[in-house]
Amino acid sequence: MEDFLIKFEQGLKGENKGLRSGLKEVCDAIDNIQKETNYVIMGQPKTFKTKFTDTFFIHYPYLMNDPAILDYTYYSFEVSRIKKTAEWIAFYFWNDYKIKYSANHIMCKGDKKIRPEHIKYVEEILTKRIIPLLGEYDKYGNRIKKGIIDFIEEKDNPTGIYHYLINKAKSNGEIIYEEYETVNDSETKVKKQRMVGFKDNEPKKYRMVIVDHVRLMKRERNYSMKENIDKYSEYTISLRNIFKYSFIDIIHSNRNISDNDRTATNSGRYLKPQTDDVKDSGNLAENCNYLIALFNPYNYPNIQMHYDYMLKDWLGKYRSLHILTARDTEAPKDLFLVGDGANGMFKCIPHPTDKEKFNEFKNKFKDYVNLSTSPKQDTGLPFPTSSM
């Protein structure tokens, strides 16, 4: 059990603490972002699933930890790299300069545009933030410099993803094989090898895989949607256990949450997703370490108050976050956020029973909503996203 003792001693040294992220309450609920862990992020459309994933699992860890220990493989089947770049520039406009923009402002779509005096900040953000994350590309879209994120737009099936991640592991370390004996179709004894471990050249790295979203993977031949997702989930368990990959899988919820009996109970005040609301696959929820659901009560006009929060006070930006299942911490657990889908800003709302903190937060939220695109220099601005 020498391998266990090594892991145990690493914990004593603080090496198993995990990655901190910018939402302390969420970090505390899941014991930070860990290696060899499966996270499933579930929700209906307009719940900010992808924006939350980018902010919590990429931007905050990048800002609050040593970037040298981060390694991502990001399968983005919905959003192109160019669109993602614009979204992330909007995030860093807020994080670095406290200027509010959306991706549409960055790309000057419709009547939206950034101010001429802010153009220099785009170049600064690209150099300081985006290129270290996504890498550098030439005018034809060819990557000429790697970042910490391997960003993949081309769709692949579960087996293709499995082999890609094995090959990526091979380039970063040594796979350990074990020989075993079995019987072939001719009932003859044969010796084979199986993967049993991995020696990482950089063992301090957090190697994370994001799939947005799993229903958009290519299908294995003749597979149903459920069979395809279940096959992928099966692969992730092997990849997690052998190579210490962590997976952050984004998936839609089904329509069960809109059942009249559920929405009508207590006027929807305590309405939230359940574990069996994962769309098309129960295995994904059963195999994960954490099932995290985001919920947008504004989708239901009959809901005026959600838990202890009046929805009208948050101007469409309130979301609830529910840790539905957790193998390694306590669950279920309910948390409450404000989020801005335009720039990926998220902040946990204090409970109304703490009147001083709650009222202070509401006032800062009003200040945030009323901010224009003029640069602000006051360090006391609402919702600072990091200490950097």
Side-chain angles (χ1 to χ4, degrees):
M1 300 297 288
E2 186 176 350
D3 53 352
F4 168 79
L5 289 174
I6 290 173
K7 193 73 174 176
F8 174 71
E9 290 172 0
Q10 288 174 344
L12 294 177
K13 296 175 183 177
E15 296 177 12
N16 297 340
K17 188 174 182 179
L19 297 172
R20 291 300 290 175
S21 189
L23 295 171
K24 182 180 183 300
E25 296 85 347
V26 181
C27 279
D28 290 345
I30 63 173
D31 283 344
N32 300 329
I33 300 169
Q34 295 289 339
K35 296 179 182 178
E36 55 187 298
T37 302
N38 284 53
Y39 303 90
V40 172
I41 312 300
M42 174 183 70
Q44 299 168 301
K46 308 299 181 183
T47 54
F48 301 155
K49 297 183 300 295
T50 300
K51 292 292 178 65
F52 173 82
T53 297
D54 289 353
T55 296
F56 185 79
F57 287 97
I58 297 178
H59 297 313
Y60 288 157
Y62 171 70
L63 291 167
M64 300 178 70
N65 302 272
D66 180 2
I69 65 172
L70 303 176
D71 178 87
Y72 296 89
T73 305
Y74 196 138
Y75 287 93
S76 182
F77 298 144
E78 262 191 327
V79 181
S80 71
R81 178 180 51 82
I82 296 295
K83 175 70 182 301
K84 188 71 74 174
T85 297
E87 291 177 352
W88 289 5
I89 288 173
F91 173 87
Y92 286 105
F93 252 109
W94 174 250
N95 185 83
D96 294 357
Y97 305 105
K98 297 299 177 285
I99 301 172
K100 283 174 59 179
Y101 280 129
S102 67
N104 286 345
H105 285 97
I106 303 304
M107 301 305 290
C108 299
K109 291 187 175 182
D111 294 329
K112 299 180 177 67
K113 60 182 65 177
I114 67 171
R115 295 172 179 247
E117 63 268 27
H118 295 166
I119 293 175
K120 63 180 180 181
Y121 296 135
V122 174
E123 297 172 356
E124 289 180 8
I125 292 169
L126 281 170
T127 300
K128 182 181 177 183
R129 302 299 194 193
I130 305 303
I131 291 175
L133 285 168
L134 290 174
E136 190 167 5
Y137 292 76
D138 66 18
K139 63 181 180 180
Y140 302 108
N142 299 311
R143 189 173 65 182
I144 56 178
K145 181 180 179 182
K146 287 186 176 181
I148 64 175
I149 299 173
D150 185 9
F151 194 86
I152 301 170
E153 297 175 69
E154 184 178 2
K155 292 185 180 181
D156 208 344
N157 62 22
T159 299
I161 293 172
Y162 175 71
H163 287 298
Y164 182 87
L165 293 174
I166 288 177
N167 289 330
K168 185 171 182 177
K170 286 180 180 178
S171 69
N172 292 313
E174 177 187 354
I175 299 176
I176 301 168
Y177 294 91
E178 177 182 79
E179 194 172 79
Y180 69 100
E181 192 174 83
T182 187
V183 177
N184 62 18
D185 294 339
S186 303
E187 297 188 358
T188 303
K189 290 183 178 180
V190 294
K191 289 185 177 181
K192 291 188 176 183
Q193 286 187 327
R194 57 186 166 211
M195 298 181 296
V196 295
F198 177 65
K199 184 178 180 181
D200 199 318
N201 292 337
E202 299 177 89
K204 291 187 177 180
K205 285 241 183 186
Y206 287 75
R207 302 194 185 277
M208 292 174 275
V209 182
I210 297 173
V211 178
D212 182 24
H213 55 83
V214 296
R215 297 183 73 251
L216 290 177
M217 289 184 296
K218 276 186 179 178
R219 300 274 187 97
E220 304 277 354
R221 184 176 298 178
N222 298 323
Y223 272 32
S224 67
M225 178 68 76
K226 180 184 186 309
E227 290 170 331
N228 209 52
I229 296 173
D230 288 350
K231 186 64 176 176
Y232 166 76
S233 181
E234 176 187 323
Y235 280 142
T236 67
I237 301 306
S238 175
L239 292 165
R240 179 193 71 191
N241 293 344
I242 294 173
F243 300 104
K244 314 309 178 189
Y245 281 116
S246 287
F247 289 86
I248 302 102
D249 295 320
I250 302 173
I251 192 166
H252 287 233
S253 58
N254 57 39
R255 297 180 180 178
N256 291 347
I257 193 172
S258 298
D259 181 85
N260 288 337
D261 289 339
R262 289 174 66 176
T263 58
T265 303
N266 295 312
S267 299
R269 180 172 177 177
Y270 300 105
L271 184 64
K272 68 176 183 179
Q274 304 294 336
T275 55
D276 57 359
D277 290 335
V278 177
K279 193 167 187 175
D280 295 316
S281 173
N283 286 15
L284 200 66
E286 291 171 5
N287 291 339
C288 70
N289 299 83
Y290 294 96
L291 174 58
I292 300 172
L294 287 161
F295 180 63
N296 178 7
Y298 296 102
N299 289 334
Y300 302 88
N302 65 304
I303 301 178
Q304 306 299 317
M305 172 176 278
H306 192 240
Y307 283 76
D308 299 311
Y309 302 91
M310 292 298 298
L311 296 187
K312 65 181 179 60
D313 293 340
W314 307 103
L315 305 176
K317 298 186 185 299
Y318 168 95
R319 299 292 185 271
S320 60
L321 182 148
H322 308 275
I323 300 168
L324 299 178
T325 62
R327 292 189 177 183
D328 307 318
T329 60
E330 293 182 8
K333 190 165 288 187
D334 306 312
L335 298 168
F336 309 96
L337 316 171
V338 288
D340 192 340
N343 61 13
M345 182 281 297
F346 290 90
K347 195 75 174 176
C348 288
I349 310 174
H351 195 273
T353 54
D354 190 339
K355 291 183 179 180
E356 185 176 348
K357 285 186 178 180
F358 181 72
N359 289 332
E360 180 184 4
F361 186 92
K362 282 184 70 175
N363 290 332
K364 287 183 176 182
F365 173 76
K366 291 176 183 176
D367 291 341
Y368 172 82
V369 170
N370 292 327
L371 281 176
S372 69
T373 55
S374 299
K376 303 288 183 179
Q377 304 300 326
D378 180 9
T379 57
L381 274 170
F383 308 122
T385 55
S386 79
S387 59
M388 299 180 66

